[in-house]
């Protein structure tokens, strides 16, 4: 197995890492208290002073930051760097309101690149790999982020961005792509387009690694992608506010390492806001320890996950965070029962007769919530004339009801009939909100 990109940091003893985190936190907070009017005010409001931060655990005394702080201060009122210190902007699409702008100093870009370089090496990539970057380039952070990370480890970058899928597949063959970075839903789409072109990604290409993220996907989906395309698929996580894609799984495939010299992660009970022990799922809160232009302290990202505090078999000492199972705000409440789209995906993907694509439609019938799950039948099951479609539908409904504790209508649809996505998939249509 390939060693770490920077062993001095990645294999640092835990106690040393904690000491380093405390030093970085203290420096950051003192700096922001002096130079960020926003953060100074927020600390005053909550009656905290930098002197109150005497150890790492004291981070809990600090006030939170929220997405709405970024929106309310659009475009750049939270920045603590001056215009001439900024070398890049990215802008998040802001599906639920005003967009948010992220500014980067040179050091911010460097730390972002380092974070990705470590992650890509940790899943076995390096010199000799050809990395096709099929995340969007531009205001979205996926394309440029992975681009610079892959260049840094000496891989050859093929910057295809999203779209023009047939050409992507031709290039994948001609230029001998070994690794691809894109959303899991785009890779599924690519696999289908390739088959239509008579190309099997498993047999006719050298693709062996997928760096997949930017949207939730389940462990069952990973298994399907790996088996179908003949690759190892790794989860990568980040948000534009953190810088972009930041944290990637290692070859162990047991959650992504959060580099402790760059970020401090807490998992809190969303109601009591008390920290949860290793393994328990809650709301992820991240503090960026070195970020300059747009500081983030105890930022309530809204994603749900758990920390795994055990030392990873890969030898890296930095904490791992398990696969994101959803967002605090994507939970659907169906007749009073909490339902996460990720539970639905997990359940569907464990039923061999159904395909990879599904859509959830929530509506209100009279006073009652109504949930319909449309799912494509697996191609093989569909072409097999003797398949009992009614039996499959009943099986899917039964499994979903058992997992979700709420009755769900299921509609089986033809393979290829549901929408496909080049960027992030949109699988939930909640008509109650329209
Ligand atoms: O999606 C950054 C990114 C680019 C990550 C490429 C990974 C790869 P935003 O557009 O700001 O940034 O969206 C961030 O997407 O809060 C999560 O809800 C979701 N998300 C991102 N990665 C994952 C993942 C980019 N691996 C929001 N699993 C986050 C689940 C993810 N959800």
């Amino acid at each position: 197995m390939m060693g770490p990109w920077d062993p001095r940091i990645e294999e640092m003893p835990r106690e040393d890492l904690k000491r380093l985190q405390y030093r970085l936190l203290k420096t950051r907070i003192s700096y922001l208290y002096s130079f960020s009017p926003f953060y100074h005010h927020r600390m005053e409001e909550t009656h905290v002073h930098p002197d109150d931060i005497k150890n790492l655990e004291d981070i809990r005394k600090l006030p939170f930051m929220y997405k709405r702080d970024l929106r309310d201060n659009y475009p750049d009122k939270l920045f603590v760097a001056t215009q001439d210190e900024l070398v890049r902007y990215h802008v998040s699409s802001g599906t639920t309101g005003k967009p948010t702008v992220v500014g980067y100093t040179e050091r911010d870009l460097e730390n972002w690149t380092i974070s990705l370089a470590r992650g890509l090496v940790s899943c076995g990539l390096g010199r000799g790999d050809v990395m096709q970057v099929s995340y969007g380039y531009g205001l979205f952070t996926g394309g440029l982020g992975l681009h610079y990370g892959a260049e840094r480890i000496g891989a050859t970058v093929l910057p295809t961005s999203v779209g023009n899928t047939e050409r992507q597949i031709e290039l994948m063959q001609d230029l001998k792509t070994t690794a691809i970075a894109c959303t899991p839903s785009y890779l599924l789409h690519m696999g289908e387009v390739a088959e239509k072109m008579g190309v099997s990604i498993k047999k006719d290409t050298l693709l062996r690694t997928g760096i997949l993220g930017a949207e939730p996907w389940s462990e069952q989906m990973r298994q399907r992608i790996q088996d179908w395309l003949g690759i190892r698929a790794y989860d990568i996580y980040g948000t534009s506010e953190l810088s972009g894609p930041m944290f990637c799984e290692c070859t162990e495939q047991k959650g992504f390492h959060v580099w402790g010299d760059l970020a401090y992660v807490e998992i809190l009970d969303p109601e009591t806001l008390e920290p949860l022990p290793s393994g328990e799922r809650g709301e992820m809160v991240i503090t960026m320890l070195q970020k300059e232009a747009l500081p983030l302290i105890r930022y309530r990202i809204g994603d749900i996950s758990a920390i795994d505090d055990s030392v990873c078999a890969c030898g890296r000492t930095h904490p791992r965070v398990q696969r994101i199972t959803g967002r605090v705000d994507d939970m659907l409440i169906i007749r009073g029962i909490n339902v996460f789209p990720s539970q639905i995906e997990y359940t569907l993907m464990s039923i061999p007769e159904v395909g990879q694509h599904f859509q959830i439609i929530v509506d209100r019938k009279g006073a009652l919530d109504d949930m319909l799950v449309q799912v494509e039948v697996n191609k093989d099951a569909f072409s097999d004339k003797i398949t009992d479609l009614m039996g499959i539908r009943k099986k899917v409904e039964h499994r979903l009801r058992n997992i979700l504790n709420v009755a769900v209508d299921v509609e089986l649809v033809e393979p290829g009939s549901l929408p496909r996505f080049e960027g992030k998939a949109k699988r939930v249509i909640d008509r109650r909100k329209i």
Side-chain angles (χ1 to χ4, degrees):
M1 190 200 298
M2 209 181 282
W5 189 72
D6 184 351
R8 289 165 315 157
I9 299 283
E10 291 170 59
E11 296 178 347
M12 184 184 265
R14 284 254 166 111
E15 283 313 306
D16 293 351
L17 181 60
K18 284 195 170 148
R19 265 196 296 277
L20 173 65
Q21 288 183 308
Y22 169 63
R23 273 210 330 268
L24 291 167
L25 177 71
K26 182 93 183 163
T27 311
R28 214 65 223 124
I29 296 302
S30 309
Y31 183 84
L32 292 177
Y33 190 77
S34 305
F35 295 106
S36 161
F38 165 86
Y39 206 68
H40 184 95
H41 179 65
R42 181 132 313 167
M43 283 180 80
E44 298 244 289
E45 266 177 349
T46 41
H47 312 290
V48 200
H49 187 272
D51 292 345
D52 299 330
I53 308 303
K54 297 194 177 72
N55 53 51
L56 193 53
E57 283 66 42
D58 283 341
I59 195 169
R60 291 180 52 202
K61 296 179 180 165
L62 293 169
F64 292 113
M65 284 177 71
Y66 303 87
K67 183 108 184 163
R68 66 167 180 271
D69 293 324
L70 274 73
R71 294 210 183 100
D72 293 349
N73 289 284
Y74 180 86
D76 57 1
K77 290 202 276 293
L78 285 190
F79 292 3
V80 285
T82 58
Q83 170 70 63
D84 55 3
E85 288 168 318
L86 295 179
V87 292
R88 171 100 61 87
Y89 289 127
H90 280 282
V91 183
S92 86
S93 52
T95 40
T96 50
K98 252 195 212 164
T100 50
V101 180
V102 183
Y104 302 72
T105 62
E106 219 167 292
R107 174 127 177 258
D108 288 334
L109 284 189
E110 176 62 11
N111 282 335
W112 184 17
T113 300
I114 286 176
S115 180
L116 284 167
R118 290 181 192 164
L120 295 177
V121 167
S122 83
C123 56
L125 298 175
R127 215 166 274 286
D129 276 297
V130 178
M131 158 86 95
Q132 186 161 336
V133 179
S134 307
Y135 284 115
Y137 277 67
L139 294 177
F140 180 59
T141 51
L144 286 170
L146 265 304
H147 183 109
Y148 288 108
E151 276 189 357
R152 184 61 62 93
I153 65 168
T156 312
V157 176
L158 177 59
T160 46
S161 193
V162 283
N164 214 346
T165 309
E166 294 191 357
R167 177 120 177 86
Q168 298 235 12
I169 291 155
E170 282 163 16
L171 289 172
M172 182 183 284
Q173 290 183 287
D174 296 347
L175 295 172
K176 303 190 172 48
T177 298
T178 59
I180 191 160
C182 61
T183 58
S185 43
Y186 190 46
L187 189 57
L188 288 174
H189 178 51
M190 235 183 223
E192 288 178 336
V193 173
E195 282 187 355
K196 279 193 198 131
M197 294 164 66
V199 176
S200 153
I201 289 189
K202 193 180 206 163
K203 298 203 190 95
D204 304 327
T205 75
L206 295 183
L207 191 72
R208 293 298 166 259
T209 307
I211 309 294
L212 312 181
E215 63 185 13
W217 56 307
S218 62
E219 196 54 39
Q220 293 291 347
M221 181 67 93
R222 174 181 1 232
Q223 294 311 329
R224 282 187 173 218
I225 289 176
Q226 295 194 148
D227 293 347
W228 180 35
L229 303 178
I231 65 171
R232 297 265 291 169
Y234 298 97
D235 193 18
I236 183 163
Y237 172 80
T239 79
S240 39
E241 305 89 303
L242 298 185
S243 280
M246 284 290 284
F247 307 120
C248 183
E249 280 185 327
C250 65
T251 42
E252 297 297 315
Q253 293 184 312
K254 294 214 173 101
F256 47 86
H257 286 276
V258 174
W259 307 119
D261 55 324
L262 300 175
Y264 182 81
V265 59
E266 299 169 82
I267 300 283
L268 305 182
D269 179 315
E271 268 149 39
T272 62
L273 298 178
E274 289 298 313
L276 289 170
S278 171
E280 274 190 41
R281 290 202 167 262
E283 187 182 330
M284 187 158 58
V285 173
I286 290 202
T287 298
M288 296 302 284
L289 296 169
Q290 299 200 36
K291 211 151 164 299
E292 290 185 336
L294 176 65
L296 286 183
I297 306 294
R298 301 198 86 201
Y299 181 57
R300 296 200 38 194
I301 290 188
D303 290 320
I304 299 170
S305 187
I307 292 188
D308 181 349
D309 230 357
S310 62
V311 173
C312 187
C314 77
R316 291 173 184 81
T317 49
H318 297 231
R320 272 165 307 162
V321 169
Q322 293 171 8
R323 182 183 281 293
I324 309 286
T325 45
R327 294 185 49 78
V328 180
D329 51 14
D330 78 1
M331 185 178 78
L332 296 162
I333 303 181
I334 309 292
R335 282 173 245 146
I337 309 270
N338 300 346
V339 172
F340 285 98
S342 58
Q343 294 173 293
I344 298 181
E345 179 183 304
Y346 186 87
T347 311
L348 293 177
M349 293 307 118
S350 62
I351 303 174
E353 293 91 342
V354 307
Q356 265 79 266
H357 298 269
F358 65 96
Q359 185 163 288
I360 303 163
I361 301 173
V362 187
D363 211 340
R364 186 158 283 143
K365 283 209 180 123
L368 279 186
D369 299 319
D370 181 73
M371 183 158 74
L372 171 70
V373 175
Q374 294 178 314
V375 58
E376 289 184 6
V377 187
N378 184 323
K379 232 176 27 237
D380 302 333
F382 195 76
S383 55
D384 182 357
K385 292 279 182 292
I386 51 169
T387 302
D388 167 17
L389 286 180
M390 178 71 98
I392 300 177
R393 187 167 70 87
K394 288 266 169 274
K395 177 172 169 184
V396 178
E397 281 182 350
H398 180 73
R399 290 261 187 101
L400 285 174
R401 187 173 331 111
N402 275 352
I403 295 286
L404 307 175
N405 284 320
V406 65
V408 177
D409 289 325
V410 169
E411 186 187 342
L412 299 179
V413 299
E414 275 187 45
S417 59
L418 291 175
R420 301 295 194 257
F421 301 92
E422 293 181 344
K424 297 180 192 244
K426 185 164 173 17
R427 300 207 193 276
V428 181
I429 301 173
D430 194 343
R431 297 209 173 111
R432 297 172 304 181
K433 292 183 182 159
I434 298 172

